[in-house]
Amino acid sequence: MTAMRTGTLGRTPYYVLTGGLAIIFLFPLLWSLAASVSPQASTGQVNGLGLGNYTTLFNYGAGLVRFLLNSAYVALLTVAITLAVSTLGGYAFARFRFPGREALFLLTLSILMVPYATVLIPLYVLLNGFGLQNSLIGLSLVLAMFQLPFATYMMRISFEAVPRELEESAQVDGCGTFSVLWRILLPSVRPGLITVGLFAFLAAWSDFLAPLILLTDSTKQTLPLAVANLRQQTMGAIDYGATEAGVVVMAIPCLILFLLLQRYYVRGFMSGAVKG
Amino acid sequence: MFVAVFFITPLLLVARMSLSGWPLLTGNGGLNFPKNYLSIWKNALFGPAVVFTIEYTLIVTVLLIGLGLGLALLVQESGRWVNMLRTVILLPVSLGLAAASLLFWGFYSPSIGPISPILEQLGLIHEPISFLGTSLSALLSTSFLIVWKYSGLYMLIFLVGLQAIPDDLFEAAALDGASRIQVFRHITWPLLRPSLALALILCVTGSLLAFDQFYILTKGAPDNSTVTVVQLIYREAFQRQNLGTSAAISIIVLVALLVLNAVQFRYLRSSEPGLKR
């Protein structure tokens, strides 16, 4: 709107400003990529460009593959739990009237208000009680819980947007509640599912505090934890190169997923931010 | 059910724990109220941690909200270049906070950080900058990391808010000959209040609970001057192995946040023009 009035010449400062911003936002990312392959004294890559730091990372502790698998396992399990609970929950909130419906929904949203750390300490004790201490399953359950407010909210509005007639005609044709949910509704709320899954994955993949508190076994560590520990490992000399290599390994799945699914990411925000 | 098990139970448990002596290894040691709460006041780190956390929150909130809004205004109209720019600004948001902190930990380091060499080449400085050396520089460096990582998020929130404003309002203002500043003051700003409320609550809550960035970048150094409240909870529980006092601090944080959010909500809702529910 403002741009229409200013001519091409007047746009130059705009391009300089926005170009500068783009550089500021990209620079650290590109730098970490460069640093991870650059030579540096007392790292796995002493001279010339190469993948020496990645080798260090690969061989650290229980091995990069182990940590990657741990992270992937936790992230995928969190996504699965979040999707299952929020789909059923969102469907129930959107379609069934039951006593205490709004209260329960508000309670779910109120998870947002409670500090992460406040709940993690008792969860640590609680999971011990269930025999889930130091377990990736326990960790996923906890991470999924923190996804619920957003996920349930998102699924509720997705289900509410599906016309009731669709379900009714399926019921006339002889579908039960669950087969309606499975065959008719799930395909129509797919964008919502993707958004919820994406948020859950990104959060679980990168979470630091929960694994730090809940996991004690070094072979069970997730990637962020392993990389954070790696840097303090060797006495005296700190391996910056391998750390940045770790950053790159952590960042790549997030960046790729984000670029592929950006539309869904922004969508999630639209629905959240407008309704406030 | 799920909510009940993983949310309500921990809340009750933390309240119970805050009233008890509860060493990490041996478990519940019986009620001892109000010993845990009293010991907080004796903890030399508690006061400074609260002050530091509040300082950090103020800096980050002002920067993020200002920048988020500025960026949103800058990338408001769609176009190929602008869409690319939006994506670039949003990229760091998708990165995990721990990953971003580790990235900047190297970025700020004296041995491989790129900033000091560049400035030295340009002849602007003669000694490497110590980004994390003093408590002020550590605070500012960490704030920069957070602003870098999250301003895209706030840009998005404000962008959504801007797009919800009907175009005819701007057209009417243009017809009436309103200047750009007038348009911003009388149309954009008041109608952005719901977005502002959301951004403020997210930002304040997030910064008050800061942990990862300081745990990774500074570990509370120098001289415990950058210890945040959540770090204190963590240390109390796992280094001093006292879950009881840790829980007591948690309860204080919880109550403080609930009050703060309620106040923010009230304030922002009450002065809102009647467009949104």
Side-chain angles (χ1 to χ4, degrees):
Chain A
M1 176 205 58
T2 46
M4 277 184 287
R5 264 177 270 135
T6 31
T8 328
L9 247 179
R11 301 277 286 167
T12 315
Y14 174 80
Y15 280 116
V16 172
L17 178 64
T18 51
L21 278 172
I23 292 171
I24 293 178
F25 277 94
L26 275 181
F27 183 66
L29 287 176
L30 295 176
W31 172 81
S32 73
L33 186 62
S36 72
V37 294
S38 300
Q40 175 73 32
S42 75
T43 67
Q45 188 65 35
V46 182
N47 42 41
L49 294 181
L51 297 176
N53 289 322
Y54 290 88
T55 318
T56 312
L57 185 64
F58 200 80
N59 296 322
Y60 168 72
L64 176 64
V65 178
R66 176 85 258 158
F67 299 131
L68 266 176
L69 283 179
N70 286 344
S71 273
Y73 179 80
V74 168
L76 293 178
L77 193 59
T78 306
V79 170
I81 299 171
T82 309
L83 283 180
V85 177
S86 69
T87 307
L88 293 174
Y91 181 60
F93 281 128
R95 282 297 191 259
F96 301 117
R97 305 196 152 269
F98 51 90
R101 180 173 79 154
E102 292 309 313
L104 199 60
F105 187 63
L106 274 181
L107 184 71
T108 313
L109 290 187
S110 70
I111 295 179
L112 275 182
M113 287 288 180
V114 175
Y116 207 25
T118 308
V119 214
L120 275 177
I121 305 279
L123 273 174
Y124 172 82
V125 174
L126 199 65
L127 288 176
N128 277 350
F130 289 157
L132 282 173
Q133 76 275 36
N134 192 20
S135 114
L136 295 177
I137 297 176
L139 175 61
S140 308
L141 283 169
V142 171
L143 289 172
M145 200 267 300
F146 281 102
Q147 285 304 306
L148 277 191
F150 170 74
T152 312
Y153 175 76
M154 188 74 206
M155 291 320 293
R156 181 181 183 172
I157 53 177
S158 302
F159 279 118
E160 276 170 351
V162 179
R164 261 176 199 278
E165 291 77 30
L166 212 60
E167 286 167 80
E168 278 157 13
S169 62
Q171 271 162 351
V172 170
D173 290 345
C175 277
T177 309
F178 275 94
S179 84
V180 168
L181 180 63
W182 187 251
R183 297 211 194 139
I184 312 290
L185 286 174
L186 277 192
S188 13
V189 294
R190 228 187 59 186
L193 289 173
I194 296 180
T195 306
V196 167
L198 177 67
F199 273 78
F201 182 89
L202 290 179
W205 177 264
S206 343
D207 199 77
F208 186 72
L209 185 54
L212 179 70
I213 290 183
L214 298 177
L215 301 176
T216 45
D217 192 342
S218 68
T219 57
K220 292 210 168 134
Q221 288 177 346
T222 55
L223 201 53
L225 213 54
V227 177
N229 285 339
L230 154 80
R231 69 199 173 111
Q232 318 155 330
Q233 189 72 176
T234 34
M235 297 304 276
I238 299 169
D239 198 340
Y240 287 102
T243 307
E244 294 309 320
V247 170
V248 172
V249 174
M250 273 188 273
I252 284 177
C254 296
L255 296 182
I256 292 179
L257 262 182
F258 175 75
L259 286 175
L260 286 178
L261 300 174
Q262 197 185 359
R263 211 155 46 91
Y264 295 99
Y265 192 85
V266 174
R267 223 186 86 96
F269 260 94
M270 296 288 218
S271 56
V274 172
K275 301 235 170 138
Chain B
M1 255 316 282
F2 195 69
V3 176
V5 173
F6 282 90
F7 185 58
I8 305 298
T9 327
L11 270 187
L12 294 179
L13 189 59
V14 77
R16 171 81 174 74
M17 281 166 75
S18 78
L19 304 178
S20 317
W22 199 310
L24 180 63
L25 299 175
T26 52
N28 195 349
L31 286 179
N32 71 348
F33 183 79
K35 192 161 154 269
N36 290 331
Y37 288 91
L38 288 179
S39 81
I40 294 176
W41 300 116
K42 286 193 222 122
N43 189 332
L45 279 178
F46 184 73
V50 169
V51 172
F52 179 75
T53 309
I54 292 174
E55 270 173 21
Y56 166 78
T57 302
L58 283 179
I59 295 182
V60 166
T61 305
V62 168
L63 285 178
L64 271 181
I65 300 235
L67 250 171
L69 184 57
L71 288 173
L73 290 169
L74 203 62
V75 300
Q76 205 178 352
E77 333 138 37
S78 257
R80 214 201 241 163
W81 165 245
V82 164
N83 287 349
M84 249 170 56
L85 189 66
R86 281 186 202 170
T87 306
V88 166
I89 296 175
L90 275 171
L91 269 183
V93 180
S94 70
L95 208 66
L97 181 53
S101 306
L102 284 168
L103 194 167
F104 271 82
W105 181 73
F107 197 75
Y108 288 144
S109 80
S111 68
I112 63 165
I115 303 286
S116 295
I118 293 177
L119 293 181
E120 269 175 32
Q121 289 272 304
L122 293 172
L124 290 174
I125 53 167
H126 299 290
E127 275 172 23
I129 301 173
S130 163
F131 286 102
L132 301 169
T134 68
S135 94
L136 180 68
S137 69
L139 174 62
L140 294 179
S141 303
T142 311
S143 306
F144 180 79
L145 149 71
I146 294 302
V147 168
W148 174 78
K149 175 163 165 27
Y150 286 109
S151 41
L153 188 74
Y154 293 91
M155 174 189 80
L156 204 56
I157 292 174
F158 285 119
L159 207 55
V160 172
L162 283 174
Q163 278 164 356
I165 302 175
D167 276 342
D168 26 336
L169 281 178
F170 289 115
E171 281 159 28
L175 277 180
D176 291 344
S179 74
R180 253 197 258 178
I181 294 167
Q182 280 175 322
V183 168
F184 182 79
R185 255 203 63 194
H186 297 289
I187 299 179
T188 317
W189 182 247
L191 290 184
L192 270 182
R193 263 181 188 277
S195 311
L196 189 70
L198 178 70
L200 209 58
I201 286 176
L202 272 182
C203 191
V204 169
T205 312
S207 333
L208 286 178
L209 299 179
F211 177 81
D212 298 18
Q213 58 269 48
F214 288 106
Y215 182 84
I216 290 175
L217 278 180
T218 68
K219 285 243 163 198
D223 297 332
N224 287 329
S225 61
T226 60
V227 174
T228 63
V229 177
V230 176
Q231 260 176 307
L232 202 61
I233 296 178
Y234 176 79
R235 286 184 176 199
E236 205 56 50
F238 295 98
Q239 280 168 16
R240 302 173 85 175
Q241 313 209 328
N242 193 341
L243 292 185
T245 34
S246 167
I249 306 178
S250 306
I251 291 287
I252 293 182
V253 173
L254 174 65
V255 171
L257 262 185
L258 286 181
V259 170
L260 193 68
N261 277 333
V263 170
Q264 285 188 54
F265 227 62
R266 249 292 136 94
Y267 174 72
L268 287 157
R269 282 282 144 116
S270 65
S271 47
E272 185 179 299
L275 256 183
K276 294 260 150 62
R277 70 187 151 101

